[in-house]
């Protein structure tokens, strides 16, 4: 045991040493000397002019937004994308674009008079804390620790230099960087987990241990190849990437402010806050958010998280199929096929849908659980609860699709369910336990939905179907050459299972037909299951085409048409088909022992070719985010806000009564908590705050509770009776009692789930 512990310690110590050795000592360091100082230096008059120009532009945008709202054109003309919101750390026209954090600003100067400098950013001044620097006369160097509470663009040092004074250099360095790279440490941590697991498997010297190591290497290699875009160290532009980046930043911001669980993304929308957590499950996004708060860059946090998704997908698929079919070879083959399926690659990288990619981890587990509950040992119902909880905590639309799949499977097994009602009871217990585990999300979701907050994102589903010929496409092509109106979902996005899977299913059908009744009992069992999965998978593929009357379904009366339109993209059904067809295809390639080597080789080659070309086309696009790039926290999505919210008209830190802006002192915002001193010469009856209104906010003015409601552009409007010239304002978000109770219920549900899984495992062993 001592040698084993030493070997594990040696791995981690070696990784720590590598991180220390390869840390860039000038990581997150920007130095301006000589003529380059002008890139970050402005006179106070220039800074004031930039502030006024930005304020005029914002006023024009507010007027345009009000006009759009009056005409019922809510949201038009206010679109933000990753291309326009990702800026390099050093702007093309000067200035710095930095994300939140602490920065050491060092100025080397020579001046006959004392100097006063201020870090400024037009319309973003409320994000800068401790931004004033002062220097005595003479030659020297001053350093100040500046805090940015949110991503801030156009940062300059404002200073009126006396005659014969000179700023020799300006250095900006992120606090703590350059000693031990947090980014490299995140990669090393993931590598350490994998290497430790492989090392533990090497301790078993038996034949069984050898087989386990072989399968583990196959799983790791499949996940590693699927992570090829991540190994470039840059995030590439995916369809939903920017939305998920802001979700991660929002969770990180809430955790830093003491929220747990995070209910308001306080950093999103330039600090106005966004109630995404009440409508989009975020349990698994706490992992990259925690990495962010440990100092890992946003880029690397997402890259490591995506690599972890690939690894989890491969491992869960292997374990599920191993238990389902009792064959290590088939389990390894299914893991390769599913992990490298073109649709899953497109989902993770091209579409950048972290929610759906997380849900796909649990699809193989769901298939195993459904087979157990419906046809085998119904005492394994905790597996069904675990799979459905995992899917629900990842993506709501995937939950809807899988519920429909489960209902269809139950319908196919209806005679057995009638004969054995204990199986129905097992399904009900799984559903009840899932509801308990999900109560912490369900209760706020239902309450905010009743409040009238917009949640519906409906599209004409019939416009987003596939053609049958699409399924013969083996990989996606160049996504950048076609205009949007000519974009093909199969060729450009890659929403197809891939030929590797379809050829395996075809091989399974041919071998089943050729075998006839000559197959042994184990083969017949595998054949029946593979045929059933192929049938369900084929039905899902047909449902993604015009075979299903989507046009008719979307023309039904509400709420039926709304249900179908909220599906948005019928081709999402390919993701439901992929795990079922992967299992059937692996059985087709590997069912016969004498052909397994050739079958595994063919399976791997076809999977690598299809997924490899898909990823190659993807990474040839320009990178959208590197570790030093700036992330604007405005987003294009308009769901999860009250109707009429114009996101383009939100000005950071703006406190007003609708006619004039108040003088604000000591402005501090931490997460969803805000405090400041308001100088109120007019004594107005209400003020409006730089926070979007959501139920749950509380406020006090000089210790007296304030009444609040939705104000202009759906921001918080406070009513106060104070007549003081100076008033101390405090605002915070306070979850209702029902939400706190639901959190306790979910914690109890999670403990019950763990207990049920432990008991079911013991029962299976007996």
């Amino acid at each position: 045991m001592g040698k084993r512990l030493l070997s594990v310690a040696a791995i981690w110590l070696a990784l720590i040493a590598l991180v220390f050795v390869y840390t860039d000592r000038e990581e997150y360091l920007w130095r301006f000397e000589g003529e380059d100082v002008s890139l970050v230096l402005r006179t106070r008059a220039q800074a004031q002019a930039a502030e006024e120009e930005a304020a005029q532009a914002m006023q024009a945008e507010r007027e345009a937004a009000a006009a759009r709202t009056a005409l019922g054109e809510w949201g038009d003309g206010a679109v933000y994308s990753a291309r326009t919101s990702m800026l390099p750390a050093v702007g093309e026209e000067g200035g710095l674009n930095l994300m939140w954090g602490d920065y050491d600003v060092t100025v080397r100067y020579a001046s006959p008079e004392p100097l006063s400098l201020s870090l400024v950013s037009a319309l973003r001044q409320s994000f800068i804390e401790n931004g004033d620097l002062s220097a005595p006369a003479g030659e020297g160097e001053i350093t100040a620790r500046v805090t940015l509470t949110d991503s801030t663009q156009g940062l300059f040092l404002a200073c009126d230099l006396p005659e014969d004074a000179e700023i020799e250099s300006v250095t900006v360095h992120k606090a703590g960087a350059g000693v031990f790279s947090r980014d490299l440490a995140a990669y090393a941590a993931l590598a350490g987990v994998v290497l430790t697991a492989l090392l533990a498997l090497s301790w078993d010297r038996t034949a069984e241990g050898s087989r386990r190591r072989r399968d583990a290497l196959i799983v790791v290699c499949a996940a590693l190849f699927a992570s090829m875009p991540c190994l470039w160290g840059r995030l590439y532009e995916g369809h939903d990437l920017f939305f998920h980046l802001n979700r991660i930043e929002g969770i990180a911001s809430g955790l830093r402010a003491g929220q747990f669980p995070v209910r308001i993304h306080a950093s999103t929308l330039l600090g106005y806050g966004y109630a995404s957590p009440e409508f989009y499950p975020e349990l698994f996004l706490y992992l990259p958010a925690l990495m962010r708060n440990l100092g890992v860059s946003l880029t690397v946090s997402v890259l490591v998280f995506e690599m972890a998704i690939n690894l989890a997908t491969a491992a869960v698929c292997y374990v599920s199929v191993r238990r389902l079919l009792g064959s290590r070879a088939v389990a390894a083959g299914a893991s390769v096929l599913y992990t490298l399926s073109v649709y899953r690659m497109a989902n993770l990288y091209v579409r950048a849908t972290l929610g759906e990619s997380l849900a796909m981890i649990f699809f193989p587990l769901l298939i195993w659980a459904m087979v157990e509950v419906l046809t085998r040992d119904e005492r394994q119902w905790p597996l069904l609860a675990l799979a459905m909880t995992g899917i629900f905590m990842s993506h709501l639309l995937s939950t809807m699709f899988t519920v429909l799949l489960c209902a269809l499977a139950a319908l196919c097994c209806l005679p057995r369910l009638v004969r054995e009602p204990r199986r129905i009871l097992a399904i009900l217990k799984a559903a009840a336990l899932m509801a308990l585990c999900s109560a912490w999300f369900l209760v706020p979701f239902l309450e905010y939905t009743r409040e009238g907050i917009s949640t519906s994102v409906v599209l004409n589903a019939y416009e987003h179907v596939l053609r049958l010929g699409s399924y013969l496409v083996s990989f996606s092509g160049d996504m950048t050459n076609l205009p949007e109106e000519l974009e093909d979902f199969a060729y450009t996005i890659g929403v197809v299972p891939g030929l590797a899977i379809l050829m395996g299913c075809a091989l399974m059908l041919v071998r089943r037909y050729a075998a006839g009744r000559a197959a042994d009992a184990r083969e017949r069992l595998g054949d029946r299951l593979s045929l059933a999965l192929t049938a369900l998978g084929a039905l899902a593929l047909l449902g993604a085409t015009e075979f299903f009357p989507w046009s008719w379904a979307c023309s039904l009366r509400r709420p039926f048409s709304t249900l179908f339109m909220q599906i948005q993209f019928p081709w999402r059904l390919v993701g439901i088909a992929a795990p079922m067809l992967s299992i059937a295809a692996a059985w087709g390639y590997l069912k016969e022992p004498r052909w397994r080597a050739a079958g595994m080789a063919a399976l791997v080659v076809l999977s690598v070719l299809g997924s490899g070309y898909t990823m190659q086309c993807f990474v040839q696009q320009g990178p959208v985010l590197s570790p030093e790039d700036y992330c604007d926290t405005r987003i294009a999505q308009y769901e999860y806000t009250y109707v009429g919210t114009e996101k383009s008209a939100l000005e950071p830190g703006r406190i007003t009564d609708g006619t004039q802006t108040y003088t604000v002192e000591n402005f501090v915002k931490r997460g969803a908590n805000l405090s400041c001193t308001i100088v109120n010469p007019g004594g107005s009856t209400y003020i409006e705050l730089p926070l979007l209104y959501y139920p749950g906010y509380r406020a006090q003015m000089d210790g007296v509770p304030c009444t609040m409601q939705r104000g202009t552009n759906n921001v918080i409007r406070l009513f106060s009776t104070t007549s003081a010239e100076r008033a101390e304002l405090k605002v915070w978000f306070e979850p209702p009692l029902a939400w706190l109770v639901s959190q306790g219920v979910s914690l109890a549900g999670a403990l019950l789930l763990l207990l049920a899984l432990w008991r079911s495992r013991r029962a299976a062993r007996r």
Side-chain angles (χ1 to χ4, degrees):
M1 179 61 71
K3 291 183 177 179
R4 293 177 177 179
L5 291 177
L6 286 175
S7 61
V8 172
I11 287 177
W12 286 95
L13 288 174
L15 289 171
I16 292 172
L18 286 173
V19 171
F20 182 78
V21 169
Y22 284 99
T23 294
D24 181 1
R25 302 307 168 198
E26 295 191 350
E27 185 180 41
Y28 300 108
L29 174 67
W30 300 276
R31 184 180 291 109
F32 305 90
E33 297 177 334
E35 295 180 355
D36 290 341
V37 171
S38 61
L39 294 174
V40 291
L41 191 64
R42 279 181 172 176
T43 66
R44 294 195 180 275
Q46 290 173 328
Q48 182 62 32
E51 182 75 22
E52 292 174 356
E53 182 181 355
Q56 291 173 2
M58 176 55 68
Q59 179 61 31
E61 179 55 42
R62 279 196 294 269
E63 294 173 357
R68 289 195 299 268
T69 302
L71 295 173
E73 298 174 353
W74 173 43
D76 290 355
V79 177
Y80 302 101
S81 69
R83 291 183 186 272
T84 58
S85 300
M86 301 298 180
L87 301 174
V90 181
E92 294 181 358
E93 298 181 359
L96 287 170
N97 306 305
L98 302 179
M99 301 188 74
W100 60 266
D102 292 332
Y103 295 86
D104 292 323
V105 179
T106 302
V107 178
R108 180 177 293 276
Y109 68 96
S111 174
E113 300 178 18
L115 290 181
S116 176
L117 304 96
S118 299
L119 200 63
V120 297
S121 173
L123 290 190
R124 304 289 191 274
Q125 202 64 34
S126 60
F127 296 159
I128 304 173
E129 294 184 357
N130 306 318
D132 294 328
L133 296 82
S134 58
E139 297 183 5
E141 182 178 279
I142 55 171
T143 299
R145 176 68 58 86
V146 178
T147 298
L148 302 181
T149 60
D150 207 336
S151 299
T152 310
Q153 66 184 22
L155 283 163
F156 289 88
L157 274 175
C159 176
D160 289 330
L161 290 176
E163 188 175 354
D164 297 329
E166 180 185 6
I167 301 295
E168 298 175 356
S169 68
V170 176
T171 302
V172 179
H173 189 208
K174 190 171 184 180
V179 179
F180 190 82
S181 173
R182 316 294 174 84
D183 290 359
L184 291 179
Y187 285 117
L190 182 60
V193 170
V194 174
L195 292 175
T196 300
L198 293 176
L199 179 63
L201 289 173
S202 71
W203 296 334
D204 187 350
R205 300 296 184 179
T206 64
E208 177 69 13
S210 177
R211 288 190 289 270
R212 286 178 178 174
R213 288 192 294 276
R214 178 201 63 197
D215 294 348
L217 284 174
I218 292 174
V219 167
V220 170
C221 287
L224 185 63
F225 188 78
S227 302
M228 185 265 284
C230 303
L231 299 176
W232 289 90
R234 296 175 292 189
L235 278 179
Y236 295 85
E237 182 176 4
H239 298 176
D240 293 346
L241 173 66
F242 197 48
F243 176 66
H244 293 296
L245 294 182
N246 273 287
R247 293 175 70 201
I248 293 169
E249 286 291 88
I251 297 171
S253 174
L255 292 176
R256 293 196 304 274
Q259 285 191 60
F260 186 79
V262 177
R263 295 300 189 181
I264 296 291
H265 286 173
S267 63
T268 308
L269 298 174
L270 301 176
Y272 275 73
Y274 192 51
S276 177
E278 274 63 76
F279 300 98
Y280 202 135
E282 297 184 338
L283 178 63
F284 301 108
L285 291 187
Y286 279 77
L287 177 59
L290 285 171
M291 286 192 282
R292 285 292 289 132
N293 285 344
L294 289 174
V296 181
S297 69
L298 180 59
T299 297
V300 174
S301 296
V302 176
L303 292 177
V304 171
F305 186 55
E306 289 178 341
M307 295 173 71
I309 289 174
N310 288 328
L311 185 62
T313 301
V316 169
C317 186
Y318 173 82
V319 172
S320 300
V321 180
R322 172 81 174 86
R323 299 296 184 182
L324 192 62
L325 292 173
S327 169
R328 291 186 179 277
V330 175
S335 180
V336 172
L337 283 169
Y338 184 53
T339 304
L340 299 183
S341 63
V342 174
Y343 180 84
R344 207 191 71 82
M345 293 290 94
N347 229 16
L348 186 60
Y349 299 124
V350 181
R351 299 185 58 229
T353 54
L354 292 184
E356 289 181 59
S357 299
L358 285 166
M360 292 189 76
I361 295 174
F362 300 94
F363 286 175
L365 178 61
L366 176 68
I367 294 170
W368 172 30
M370 286 299 297
V371 171
E372 291 287 350
V373 172
L374 294 177
T375 64
R376 296 180 183 175
D377 184 3
E378 73 282 353
R379 292 175 299 177
Q380 299 300 312
W381 63 266
L383 291 174
L384 181 58
L386 175 63
M388 286 305 299
T389 301
I391 295 170
F392 186 68
M393 288 292 99
S394 302
H395 191 240
L396 293 184
L397 279 178
S398 294
T399 304
M400 182 171 66
F401 283 130
T402 51
V403 167
L404 293 175
L405 172 67
C406 292
L408 181 59
L411 187 62
C412 295
C413 298
L414 187 59
R416 170 169 255 172
L417 293 178
V418 173
R419 291 194 309 270
E420 303 173 9
R422 66 181 185 277
R423 298 187 183 276
I424 298 177
L425 180 61
I427 294 173
L428 293 176
K429 288 193 290 187
L433 190 51
M434 170 198 163
L436 287 177
C437 292
S438 307
W440 72 284
F441 171 80
L442 282 170
V443 171
F445 173 78
L446 294 175
E447 285 196 13
Y448 267 20
T449 301
R450 288 197 301 267
E451 282 289 328
I453 298 173
S454 175
T455 60
S456 178
V457 183
V458 296
L459 295 173
N460 293 325
Y462 56 82
E463 296 178 357
H464 305 283
V465 295
L466 294 173
R467 302 176 181 88
L468 283 175
S470 298
Y471 296 129
L472 298 180
V473 176
S474 57
F475 41 72
S476 61
D478 189 345
M479 282 81 70
T480 60
N481 290 339
L482 287 177
E484 184 177 355
E485 62 271 14
L486 296 179
E487 189 175 70
D488 182 271
F489 303 116
Y491 279 107
T492 60
I493 299 177
V495 288
V496 291
L499 284 182
I501 291 176
L502 296 184
M503 290 178 66
C505 292
L507 184 59
M508 182 273 299
L509 293 173
V510 169
R511 285 182 165 177
R512 179 67 185 88
Y513 176 78
R517 297 185 178 181
D520 59 29
R522 191 186 70 83
E523 282 191 357
R524 287 198 298 271
L525 180 63
D527 285 345
R528 285 199 298 269
L529 181 57
S530 297
L531 286 171
L533 292 176
T534 301
L536 287 173
L539 191 61
L541 292 182
L542 289 174
T545 68
E546 292 180 347
F547 179 82
F548 184 86
W550 289 103
S551 180
W552 168 81
C554 293
S555 65
L556 295 173
R557 290 186 176 182
R558 294 182 180 179
F560 302 105
S561 62
T562 303
L563 173 65
F564 287 103
M565 294 173 75
Q566 281 187 323
I567 290 175
Q568 301 173 355
F569 308 116
W571 42 254
R572 279 189 168 120
L573 287 168
V574 177
I576 303 297
M580 295 185 287
L581 297 180
S582 296
I583 296 171
W587 181 255
Y589 283 114
L590 306 167
K591 63 175 288 188
E592 295 185 16
R594 60 176 176 162
W595 297 111
R596 277 181 182 168
M600 181 63 79
L603 177 155
V604 170
V605 168
L606 288 171
S607 296
V608 166
L609 287 177
S611 63
Y613 188 78
T614 297
M615 291 186 287
Q616 177 183 329
C617 289
F618 179 70
V619 299
Q620 286 174 342
Q621 299 179 88
V624 70
L625 182 65
S626 62
E628 295 179 356
D629 280 350
Y630 165 81
C631 175
D632 194 323
T633 56
R634 291 172 291 185
I635 54 177
Q637 287 78 5
Y638 276 83
E639 64 269 29
Y640 315 150
T641 60
Y642 285 98
V643 174
T645 303
E646 289 285 356
K647 300 177 181 180
S648 61
L650 300 176
E651 179 183 331
R654 185 173 189 263
I655 299 179
T656 180
D657 63 358
T659 58
Q660 61 179 352
T661 301
Y662 283 80
T663 301
V664 179
E665 299 174 356
N666 305 319
F667 183 95
V668 177
K669 186 175 182 295
R670 290 289 184 271
N673 302 332
L674 183 153
S675 64
C676 64
T677 301
I678 297 179
V679 181
N680 179 18
S684 300
T685 58
Y686 73 85
I687 59 173
E688 293 183 340
L689 305 179
L691 294 168
L692 285 181
Y693 174 84
Y694 291 106
Y697 275 106
R698 300 289 183 268
Q700 289 182 352
M701 189 83 76
D702 286 338
V704 179
C706 301
T707 303
M708 66 174 59
Q709 66 181 32
R710 281 190 284 158
T712 307
N713 203 14
N714 293 320
V715 301
I716 291 178
R717 176 177 290 179
L718 290 183
F719 295 86
S720 174
T721 58
T722 182
S723 58
E725 287 294 314
R726 300 172 62 87
E728 299 296 326
L729 173 65
K730 291 184 178 181
V731 183
W732 68 96
F733 186 84
E734 185 177 290
L737 178 61
W739 295 17
L740 300 177
V741 172
S742 68
Q743 291 168 201
V745 170
S746 289
L747 180 60
L751 295 175
L752 285 174
L753 178 57
L754 291 175
L755 178 62
L757 288 168
W758 177 72
R759 294 183 63 182
S760 67
R761 186 177 181 185
R762 289 188 60 188
R765 286 180 173 178
R766 287 198 299 267

